[in-house]
Amino acid sequence: MSRKLLLGLDIGGSKIEARLCEVIYDESGQYQFYNRTKELNSLNSLAVSRIPTQRDLGHDNVMSRLKELIKQVCVDANVELNDLSGIGIGLPGSVDPETGIMINGNSKIFIDQDIRKDIQSIFSIDIDIQIANDANCFALAESICGAGKEYFLETGVNYSGQIGLGIILGTGTGGGLIYKGDIFSGRDGGALEVGHSLLVTDGSPCYCGRAGCAEEYLSGPAIQSSHPDKLPSLEIFKRAEDGNDLELQIINTYKDHLVNFLTNLTNLYNPHFMVLGGGVSNQDTIYNGLEESIKENSFLKGKSPKIYKHQISDSAGVLGAIFLLKEKLNL
Ligand SMILES: [Zn+2]
């Protein structure tokens, strides 16, 4: 048995989560989970802490509180910073796979900032720091120990043979593609910015400069803004469930958009499965008939993907950030 200590940071627009984990290896030196013989308990969580991002206070303020957060989880886990083997970070935007720098996203304070260098200089440590888009981290975690595992148990096709898509339906709409074990980032980290693919011709204007982007129809705020009284999306789902006509109509329109969106992705990537995350994905009603509708509409009839609700709790993002350190995990 040997162990390594890894720190994951999920830096979002509204909160930051830090999780310090120890990875246990079995006698053969293999990370046990990869062999699907054990549950995730071979990645032991030693300490977890969350803080609000408060991005309106600016980049320097966030970085100084991030520093305190990292120190705190080390204290809580009773380990020294120098004992860490690596840090994985998820950021809310497109991240250049080479430099780890966020190129675009709606949390502007992180754009063009070299967070890897900042952390290394704040703590005067030379440590392996891997950074990726948060939707990619979600997709990676779900592929390794969530939806990908479910798919394996159902079909026998394991992680290294799977093509899986993780789709976030939350404050924004994003996506990540895991192709046979690896994140597909594109040249500059801009791949799978699916929230900015056209869904409605001449539709609502989007902050990216286009109009009719998927995010304008599939995010939580989009549901809210489609209601005449701008009710919160949760309330709209509840009223629809209670049989109110207006809200039912809004949710049915939402579901139609979702079918079109996921069918487009099916025709583009022909994945084994798609897994949905983010606040809207907690609404069971969106799954009613979803897989069947995609099956009917997709180009390869009868070959459409399995659709899963997220299998890992809120922590998929931070676990995915840890999984970015794949060399440290023998993944
Ligand atoms: Zn857009």
Side-chain angles (χ1 to χ4, degrees), residues 195-196 206-208 210 213:
H196 303 283
C206 176
Y207 77 92
C208 78
R210 296 180 87 193
C213 286

Side-chain angles (χ1 to χ4, degrees), residues 297-313:
N297 288 292
S298 61
F299 188 68
L300 296 187
K301 307 290 178 204
K303 293 273 188 186
S304 61
K306 288 283 297 178
I307 306 292
Y308 297 106
K309 184 179 180 177
H310 57 90
Q311 304 286 306
I312 314 171
S313 63

Side-chain angles (χ1 to χ4, degrees), residues 106-119:
N106 60 12
S107 291
K108 306 273 183 226
I109 59 164
F110 299 121
I111 293 176
D112 292 335
Q113 299 292 338
D114 195 341
I115 289 180
R116 179 187 284 148
K117 206 168 127 203
D118 286 347
I119 290 179

Side-chain angles (χ1 to χ4, degrees), residues 11-307:
I11 302 180
S14 55
K15 66 172 170 25
I16 301 175
E17 178 175 336
R19 182 177 290 255
L20 207 156
C21 292
E22 72 176 336
V23 187
I24 310 272
Y25 293 82
D26 65 14
E27 287 73 13
S28 66
Q30 289 294 306
Y31 177 49
Q32 291 163 350
F33 184 75
Y34 186 55
N35 295 328
R36 311 281 178 176
T37 54
K38 296 240 166 130
E39 292 297 328
L40 194 61
N41 60 13
S42 51
L43 184 65
N44 291 333
S45 185
L46 300 180
V48 188
S49 190
R50 288 180 178 191
I51 56 169
T53 309
Q54 294 177 295
R55 56 186 179 184
D56 46 322
L57 298 178
H59 176 262
D60 291 351
N61 178 287
V62 176
M63 287 310 293
S64 100
R65 283 183 298 111
L66 182 64
K67 178 184 170 184
E68 294 308 314
L69 179 70
I70 294 172
K71 278 192 196 162
Q72 188 58 51
V73 288
C74 286
V75 169
D76 292 349
N78 198 22
V79 302
E80 299 290 331
L81 199 67
N82 285 325
D83 296 337
L84 295 179
S85 295
I87 301 177
I89 303 176
L91 286 178
S94 305
V95 175
D96 186 312
E98 298 289 321
T99 64
I101 292 174
M102 194 173 110
I103 300 171
N104 201 0
N106 60 12
S107 291
K108 306 273 183 226
I109 59 164
F110 299 121
I111 293 176
D112 292 335
Q113 299 292 338
D114 195 341
I115 289 180
R116 179 187 284 148
K117 206 168 127 203
D118 286 347
I119 290 179
Q120 282 172 337
S121 63
I122 288 173
F123 293 109
S124 310
I125 46 170
D126 184 19
I127 188 171
D128 181 11
I129 299 180
Q130 298 294 326
I131 307 180
N133 165 268
D134 53 3
N136 284 339
C137 292
F138 165 77
L140 187 60
E142 280 289 349
S143 286
I144 294 174
C145 54
K149 183 180 149 198
E150 281 300 308
Y151 191 82
F152 166 72
L153 294 173
E154 287 169 33
T155 66
V157 178
N158 77 9
Y159 176 66
S160 57
Q162 292 172 0
I163 300 167
L165 276 174
I167 303 296
I168 304 278
L169 305 169
T171 315
T173 302
L177 170 66
I178 308 301
Y179 183 80
K180 299 184 174 176
D182 286 316
I183 292 175
F184 178 78
S185 306
R187 189 190 63 185
D188 303 307
L192 278 295
E193 286 296 353
V194 291
H196 303 283
S197 56
L198 186 79
L199 193 60
V200 175
T201 312
D202 297 325
S204 306
C206 176
Y207 77 92
C208 78
R210 296 180 87 193
C213 286
E215 181 162 295
E216 294 300 315
Y217 298 89
L218 296 176
S219 64
I223 299 173
Q224 181 167 8
S225 67
S226 66
H227 194 281
D229 299 329
K230 311 297 177 213
L231 293 181
S233 57
L234 272 178
E235 181 66 23
I236 297 172
F237 274 106
K238 197 175 165 301
R239 287 192 184 205
E241 232 165 73
D242 294 343
N244 289 294
D245 280 347
L246 171 66
E247 286 80 8
L248 255 178
Q249 209 182 324
I250 289 172
I251 297 306
N252 284 337
T253 304
Y254 181 88
K255 287 169 74 172
D256 289 344
H257 285 316
L258 187 61
V259 167
N260 281 330
F261 177 67
L262 296 180
T263 303
N264 287 343
L265 294 177
T266 298
N267 288 345
L268 279 168
Y269 298 108
N270 187 202
H272 292 94
F273 65 86
M274 292 195 252
V275 52
L276 308 185
V280 182
S281 74
N282 291 322
Q283 299 295 328
D284 288 336
T285 182
I286 66 170
Y287 300 92
N288 290 341
L290 182 60
E291 210 169 274
E292 294 72 20
S293 299
I294 295 168
K295 202 176 212 167
E296 267 169 37
N297 288 292
S298 61
F299 188 68
L300 296 187
K301 307 290 178 204
K303 293 273 188 186
S304 61
K306 288 283 297 178
I307 306 292

